[in-house]
Amino acid sequence: MVRHVLLVSYFAWGHLRPECALAVTLVRKFEDVVLCAPSPPLPIRCSQLMCESAFVVDCDFTPRAVEEMARQCSPLEAPALLSRIRVLSAGRTHAGATPGLLARLMLADPRDLQTPSAPAAAAAERVVRLLIADKEVTDDLGEVFPPVGCLPRAMVGDLMMASVLVPVKRDHPDVWLLLWWVGTAGSFTRMYAPHERGGKSDGYVKECEETFADEGLRKGRSFGDIARDVSSSGLGCLHMLTARKTWAISRRVADNTVRLAGLPPFYQHEDAPQAFWFPTLFDALRKGGEVVHYADVFLLPTIEALEEVQVRDVVDWARPRRVLCCGPQLPREILRVGGAGGGAGEVNYNVGHPDGAVAAAAGMERAEEHMAAASAVEKAQANGVNGKVNGDGASPSVDPTIIFLDACLRAHGPHSALYISFGSVFFPQPSHIALLLQVLLALPKPMPFIFTLSRGTLPSQLEEEIVSSGRGLVVPWAPQQTLLAHEAMGWMVTHCGGGGTFESLSQGVPVIAWPFSGDQPQHALWISEVLQSGFELLQVRTGAGAAGPAYRGGGTEIVGTEEAVRGEMERVLGMCQGEEGARRRENAREAQEKIRLGVERGGSADRALDQLEWIF
């Protein structure tokens, strides 16, 4: 007897990585489940299995997907689990994606764009339709996959793949659609719940069109400008004046305040703390709202004990659809680590660099000698700046960030280091980054830091200061999950994407939130105000959120001057090193324990996955 399940992934790494982990979670949970790969580690016949599943991924990311699935497995279980995973490649997101094209896309009418691109979506839809019909499939890399032997019962799909999932679901209503969301239950509500519950997508397109059609509301703006204003803040139509500020508010929210179950209220303009806009966000809200309607099950990477009120609210508005909280999708070994535990000798989960990253730096003993040395030359050898990593006796098996943290642990003790990462898409303005690094270098009590500089370069003078100080390591990429599991790790500065939010909580590492858009403001609010396992920087706001006060504290005024930004950074970093920081670290540890209990056998996440048995 054979069963058949599909998994349709989204190419962005913050989505693809947990979806690779979800694939491994499913084949581990259900010993009769298989997900398909171009070159399985072990040959296997469909007749040996009760369940066959296909993992559909963009061609440009196929190698990374296969590698990430392998990283999710222990060496002992890898052959058995990976032999039940086949990856089918469809579409090429990177094809023709030149900087010039991307610049033109930023100015395009968002009604003409979709994510993934139309050709990539068409390629993925072709593969999915063949799989649903149980036909032989030749994927876009030329791999041939024979029929499974039965029609699929379920399709697990990333919400961002709505342009593929919706038409397939329309034609095959009997196939269960399990919709995957990468963030918290609260952020899911903000993006896709009914408007009366604080949802943003509900009525979004209509408001954009009505605003564009009415010249009095349009005020000379293009449709793209209106879509940006409405999607970034749920606003853009009316204006509210104070003595110093002007900001836009939605006609549909009379008091300018968003109220979500389980979260403190916030002003609409706080939905856009940074000046950031991708026109494809229009499609994400438009198509995302549509695919939410067609879904049979919502899969969330949260734990019910962390978001009790928020999850109950999702369950309430989602009926009759099911809501399953299956927990953060991370390697089991990382989830088992007892809270930022161990040096590189205990925690080293295949931290090899992706394509284009820098080679590893000096060996362990030499790095420790460098960190302890007094001369600027030796300190420079222990640090890397603008993507350059120095050191002799190079060891390709040890990442330079791990070397740095081991040295920090010896020199400064547990929880002493800071990790700064904004991923590859979101990045603050250079002056704010420079201020943060300057404040770190001037702290009376050292807080050694690792900074992933994913774009641009640092000013040469600041570069020299970092090298001579011995306090910082600047790299283009870092093994984030492994760093967060290191005993030296104390705090993480993050934009609060879904992946980073759950990865930090899973290791009990408190955060300094610096959100940009999308689900990030809700994650930052949840972390800082509800869980109180971190702080949020407010004075760094440059977007719509900088045009008015923050709701908290009775209306915290956003000044945004260099003096205000520097002062807030000094105050927050000082609290991180004091009693309040210790309290928030303990709260992060409590969240970590709830995650650990949830994902272990018999926990709430494990029980949620049990409900997939009868669906599959």
Side-chain angles (χ1 to χ4, degrees):
M1 180 178 177
V2 178
R3 292 188 294 174
H4 190 180
V5 179
L6 312 181
L7 198 159
V8 184
S9 67
Y10 185 59
F11 65 88
W13 188 234
H15 292 242
L16 180 58
R17 189 176 205 181
E19 284 158 9
C20 290
L22 178 62
V24 173
T25 295
L26 293 176
V27 296
R28 181 186 288 126
K29 173 71 176 179
F30 303 102
E31 295 182 357
D32 53 359
V33 169
V34 181
L35 295 147
C36 316
S39 301
L42 293 177
I44 195 161
R45 298 189 307 275
C46 290
S47 59
Q48 295 176 274
L49 309 162
M50 290 183 64
C51 184
E52 171 79 15
S53 302
F55 188 98
V56 181
V57 64
D58 188 284
C59 290
D60 294 323
F61 296 86
T62 299
R64 294 189 72 180
V66 173
E67 291 171 4
E68 181 62 21
M69 289 182 201
R71 198 183 70 86
Q72 297 291 330
C73 308
S74 69
L76 290 179
E77 67 178 354
L81 293 184
L82 297 180
S83 68
R84 295 190 282 128
I85 296 178
R86 296 190 303 170
V87 178
L88 289 89
S89 307
R92 291 187 179 276
T93 297
H94 283 171
T98 64
L101 175 61
L102 294 177
R104 290 194 299 274
L105 287 178
M106 298 298 287
L107 302 175
D109 188 320
R111 293 171 292 186
D112 300 329
L113 302 174
Q114 72 175 54
T115 179
S117 68
E125 184 179 341
R126 178 189 71 85
V127 169
V128 171
R129 287 188 179 277
L130 287 171
L131 290 168
I132 282 191
D134 196 30
K135 302 292 186 181
E136 179 179 277
V137 179
T138 300
D139 73 3
D140 288 357
L141 291 182
E143 296 290 338
V144 179
F145 298 89
V148 172
C150 74
L151 300 177
R153 283 270 300 166
M155 175 172 57
V156 181
D158 188 297
L159 188 145
M160 295 298 292
M161 296 298 290
S163 55
V164 175
L165 302 174
V166 168
V168 171
K169 176 63 175 177
R170 281 176 181 161
D171 293 344
H172 300 276
D174 55 324
V175 175
W176 284 75
L177 174 55
L178 286 65
L179 200 59
W180 170 258
W181 173 248
V182 296
T184 60
S187 68
F188 185 52
T189 294
R190 176 56 178 149
M191 294 294 286
Y192 297 110
H195 172 70
E196 59 271 18
R197 292 182 181 270
K200 188 188 299 186
S201 67
D202 184 15
Y204 164 69
V205 173
K206 182 180 179 181
E207 184 171 3
C208 290
E209 292 173 343
E210 289 179 348
T211 303
F212 185 69
D214 187 328
E215 185 54 44
L217 298 173
R218 181 179 177 182
K219 298 185 183 301
R221 292 176 294 172
S222 68
F223 189 88
D225 290 338
I226 292 169
R228 174 201 62 208
D229 294 342
V230 177
S231 73
S232 295
S233 314
L235 45 90
C237 301
L238 301 178
H239 287 80
M240 186 173 186
L241 301 176
T242 67
R244 297 183 56 194
K245 302 286 186 179
T246 300
W247 67 91
I249 62 174
S250 172
R251 293 170 294 164
R252 298 188 297 155
V253 184
D255 63 353
N256 190 37
T257 303
V258 178
R259 292 175 175 85
L260 301 174
L263 291 175
F266 57 91
Y267 295 127
Q268 290 183 87
H269 53 264
E270 296 188 81
D271 246 351
Q274 297 295 321
F276 179 86
W277 164 249
F278 274 170
T280 51
L281 291 176
F282 176 85
D283 189 62
L285 284 171
R286 175 181 58 183
K287 296 268 185 70
E290 186 178 16
V291 75
V292 162
H293 170 75
Y294 279 97
D296 300 297
V297 178
F298 295 147
L299 294 179
L300 306 179
T302 190
I303 295 292
E304 290 184 46
L306 286 177
E307 294 190 89
E308 293 179 355
V309 175
Q310 295 94 315
V311 170
R312 284 200 302 269
D313 185 61
V314 175
V315 170
D316 192 36
W317 67 258
R319 288 190 179 96
R321 293 158 295 193
R322 292 173 176 266
V323 179
L324 303 181
C325 299
C326 52
Q329 296 302 298
L330 296 166
R332 287 200 303 181
E333 289 74 11
I334 286 181
L335 288 169
R336 287 170 175 168
V337 174
E346 296 179 42
V347 185
N348 191 2
Y349 309 115
N350 299 331
V351 297
H353 294 287
D355 293 341
V358 170
M364 194 78 67
E365 295 180 1
R366 186 60 174 158
E368 182 181 0
E369 175 186 340
H370 288 169
M371 288 298 294
S375 73
V377 173
E378 286 177 318
K379 288 178 180 177
Q381 288 179 322
N383 291 275
V385 178
N386 287 340
K388 301 186 290 292
V389 179
N390 305 309
D392 40 57
S395 171
S397 64
V398 182
D399 190 271
T401 57
I402 302 301
I403 296 171
F404 184 85
L405 286 182
D406 282 333
C408 290
L409 184 61
R410 295 180 178 90
H412 303 288
H415 316 312
S416 57
L418 175 71
Y419 173 50
I420 309 167
S421 177
F422 298 97
S424 57
V425 176
F426 306 96
F427 209 77
Q429 63 184 36
S431 62
H432 283 173
I433 286 294
L435 278 174
L436 175 62
L437 299 180
Q438 290 165 5
V439 169
L440 283 167
L441 293 175
L443 285 177
K445 180 181 178 181
M447 181 180 277
F449 61 88
I450 295 171
F451 174 37
T452 54
L453 184 61
S454 58
R455 65 177 64 178
T457 59
L458 297 178
S460 58
Q461 182 177 353
L462 181 57
E463 179 180 330
E464 293 171 1
E465 290 177 7
I466 293 173
V467 171
S468 61
S469 72
R471 289 191 179 192
L473 177 69
V474 182
V475 293
W477 176 88
Q480 179 166 296
Q481 293 177 0
T482 306
L483 297 192
L484 292 172
H486 198 288
E487 189 178 0
M489 187 54 63
W491 290 78
M492 177 183 181
V493 177
T494 170
H495 60 290
C496 282
T501 295
F502 284 116
E503 287 173 8
S504 60
L505 286 176
S506 295
Q507 290 306 315
V509 174
V511 307
I512 300 174
W514 194 327
F516 284 69
S517 66
D519 56 358
Q520 300 161 20
Q522 286 78 58
H523 293 161
L525 187 64
W526 179 56
I527 289 282
S528 61
E529 297 292 308
V530 179
L531 297 182
Q532 294 194 8
S533 60
F535 303 100
E536 181 181 355
L537 296 176
L538 302 179
Q539 297 299 332
V540 297
R541 292 180 174 181
T542 63
Y551 190 94
R552 67 200 66 180
T556 302
E557 185 72 12
I558 307 300
V559 179
T561 62
E562 179 178 328
E563 181 181 9
V565 172
R566 183 187 296 273
E568 182 181 47
M569 288 177 174
E570 291 173 344
R571 179 177 59 83
V572 168
L573 290 171
M575 286 193 294
C576 290
Q577 295 180 317
E579 292 183 4
E580 182 61 19
R583 185 181 75 84
R584 300 205 175 213
R585 178 182 308 284
E586 183 58 33
N587 291 340
R589 288 293 187 90
E590 292 179 4
Q592 178 196 20
E593 180 64 10
K594 290 179 180 179
I595 291 174
R596 187 189 66 79
L597 293 174
V599 300
E600 70 180 11
R601 185 177 293 275
S604 62
D606 188 56
R607 295 195 303 272
L609 290 173
D610 284 339
Q611 297 187 47
L612 298 179
E613 171 64 33
W614 66 273
I615 295 176
F616 288 173

